Amino acid sequence: MQAGQCWQCESPAENNLFCKFCNSLQRPLTDYYAFFGLEHKLNIDNEDLQRRFYQLSKLLHPDRYTRRAQRERDYSLEATAILNDGYRVLRDPVKRAEYILAEQGFEVGEQRAKDVPPELLEEVFELNMALEELVSGASSVRPQLEEARSRFRAMRREADERLGDLYKLWDASGERDSLVAVRGELNRRKYIENLITEVEKALSA
Amino acid sequence: MAYSDKVLDHYNNPRNVGSLDKGASNVGTGIVGAPECGDVMKLQVQVNPATGIIEEAKFKTFGCGSAIASSSLATEWLKGKTVDQALEIKNTDIVNELSLPPVKIHCSVLAEDAIKAAIQDYKQKAGVPVEAAVQQA
């Protein structure tokens, strides 16, 4: 069998999940967007994604392949794993953006300090200091902590809104600069998330 | 994952926690962060302008034990060094001293970046030409 051919009947497979001619299951595509038949966009329609997920779940369920060729049984297992991982990533706007960034060659995991704007670090540092003072204070600071939590949550909402706008920008232009901005905002959001975790820890203590 | 005794020692008794006057002309401040783990680290040096020797070093780190220990150790090492000697501190020195496991090496990188950022800030303030090596590559 050559690449791009159905393993069973050797007709052109054209990256379809099933061969158009003999209907046998093909080796699944590993790219999540391609697997779900979606364009590589940062904004996606979550309802459409969910529909695709349910539809593919039915088509690919390993139970349907128990009487089929070993190869199809293997492919259905592989495809189901990609389906679940892909759905988990694509339905989450942050994970989805990280996926696109990684695909576009951005190093998401290990970033050096140069990638983080100093103003953001200063802001995060000050917020952490303020939070620490609240937590270590002798008197009851519950109201202030709750106030801080709602402020951080508002900051997260703002970050999400900015991300949504940046997503639109990249989807429309495909320019790398807009992805740089996406990564910056994702970093900021990550710090805000940490602050929320910290303040919630303090509130539940 | 178990922390080494040295990490625990620095974590439980961090040296030189605090801050120096950011506005002073002989104080250099570096704030660095690692978005993937959400750590943020501030490191400051106070330099004697006549001798170029670091007389005081302070840090404050919000992050894991290894990040705190790395920056605590860095401030210990910085005191008494000249600014140029300070730039020779490598993250691998910190890794070796604290026996950091591979997953925590980025904490030592953060500390090295913080030293460089603080020295660079001092040099800019003091009007010392900043060599290419000092600028964060």
Side-chain angles (χ1 to χ4, degrees):
Chain A
M1 177 194 69
Q2 284 178 354
Q5 277 186 348
C6 171
W7 60 272
Q8 181 79 288
C9 72
E10 299 191 352
S11 310
E14 295 165 3
N15 281 343
N16 291 318
L17 207 42
F18 297 94
C19 174
K20 277 194 286 190
F21 300 92
C22 71
N23 205 33
S24 52
L25 181 61
Q26 304 296 303
R27 178 189 289 280
L29 298 169
T30 51
D31 179 276
Y32 295 155
Y33 280 90
F35 184 89
F36 278 90
L38 294 167
E39 282 184 88
H40 286 69
K41 299 283 184 196
L42 284 170
N43 273 315
I44 62 178
D45 177 350
N46 269 349
E47 280 177 29
D48 173 55
L49 178 72
Q50 194 183 48
R51 270 195 302 277
R52 287 168 192 258
F53 173 72
Y54 287 141
Q55 194 186 10
L56 288 167
S57 302
K58 268 186 245 162
L59 288 172
L60 294 169
H61 199 288
D63 286 357
R64 288 171 64 110
Y65 295 86
T66 48
R67 292 154 184 269
R68 304 287 283 266
Q70 178 65 45
R71 196 154 181 154
E72 283 186 287
R73 293 210 295 275
D74 293 346
Y75 285 164
S76 83
L77 281 177
E78 261 178 62
T80 307
I82 297 169
L83 177 75
N84 289 321
D85 291 346
Y87 186 52
R88 196 169 40 78
V89 167
L90 291 182
R91 73 178 168 189
D92 179 330
V94 170
K95 293 202 178 85
R96 192 161 73 221
E98 286 170 348
Y99 186 76
I100 293 258
L101 283 169
E103 271 194 338
Q104 296 291 322
F106 283 85
E107 286 178 29
V108 183
E110 288 286 314
Q111 297 173 50
R112 295 292 292 256
K114 65 183 160 86
D115 297 324
V116 190
E119 311 82 62
L120 168 59
L121 289 171
E122 258 168 64
E123 181 193 359
V124 171
F125 191 86
E126 291 307 322
L127 289 169
N128 269 298
M129 285 296 278
L131 182 57
E132 189 180 74
E133 266 172 42
L134 279 183
V135 174
S136 61
S139 56
S140 168
V141 289
R142 206 173 169 86
Q144 288 96 316
L145 283 174
E146 278 165 357
E147 196 268 324
R149 180 173 61 185
S150 50
R151 195 168 71 240
F152 294 153
R153 283 179 175 168
M155 286 172 72
R156 183 171 58 186
R157 273 195 304 278
E158 284 162 24
D160 286 338
E161 278 166 26
R162 268 195 297 274
L163 275 175
D165 291 342
L166 290 170
Y167 287 4
K168 274 186 215 147
L169 204 63
W170 189 75
D171 288 349
S173 71
E175 278 171 16
R176 205 172 163 79
D177 281 359
S178 52
L179 277 188
V180 173
V182 165
R183 183 173 65 172
E185 196 58 48
L186 283 177
N187 283 342
R188 189 186 145 78
R189 191 186 188 285
K190 171 82 189 166
Y191 278 118
I192 297 168
E193 277 276 334
N194 279 6
L195 286 165
I196 293 173
T197 311
E198 286 299 312
V199 78
E200 278 173 353
K201 215 193 297 174
L203 276 168
S204 64
Chain B
M1 181 199 63
Y3 281 126
S4 72
D5 289 345
K6 280 183 179 157
V7 171
L8 287 175
D9 180 36
H10 277 280
Y11 179 71
N12 290 321
N13 312 291
R15 332 288 200 262
N16 311 310
V17 174
S19 67
L20 301 165
D21 177 12
K22 205 181 156 199
S25 63
N26 63 333
V27 169
T29 302
I31 298 188
V32 296
E36 62 269 23
C37 54
D39 288 1
V40 49
M41 180 183 287
K42 180 167 92 168
L43 193 147
Q44 293 182 298
V45 291
Q46 182 184 310
V47 184
N48 181 328
T51 59
I53 287 173
I54 297 168
E55 295 177 324
E56 187 61 89
K58 294 278 186 196
F59 85 97
K60 178 73 192 169
T61 295
F62 297 99
C64 67
S66 303
I68 291 169
S70 296
S71 39
S72 171
L73 177 66
T75 55
E76 272 196 326
W77 280 353
L78 283 170
K79 283 201 234 181
K81 282 195 165 63
T82 66
V83 287
D84 291 319
Q85 285 169 338
L87 291 173
E88 287 165 18
I89 298 174
K90 291 277 165 285
N91 82 293
T92 44
D93 304 332
I94 297 170
V95 171
N96 292 336
E97 175 67 19
L98 296 175
S99 316
L100 293 180
V103 293
K104 291 293 179 183
I105 285 174
H106 68 272
C107 300
S108 68
V109 173
L110 208 56
E112 186 191 317
D113 285 349
I115 295 172
K116 292 202 158 70
I119 301 283
Q120 184 181 4
D121 183 50
Y122 164 72
K123 286 194 167 184
Q124 267 169 359
K125 276 183 176 174
V128 181
V130 179
E131 306 107 71
V134 183
Q135 287 168 344
Q136 287 180 25

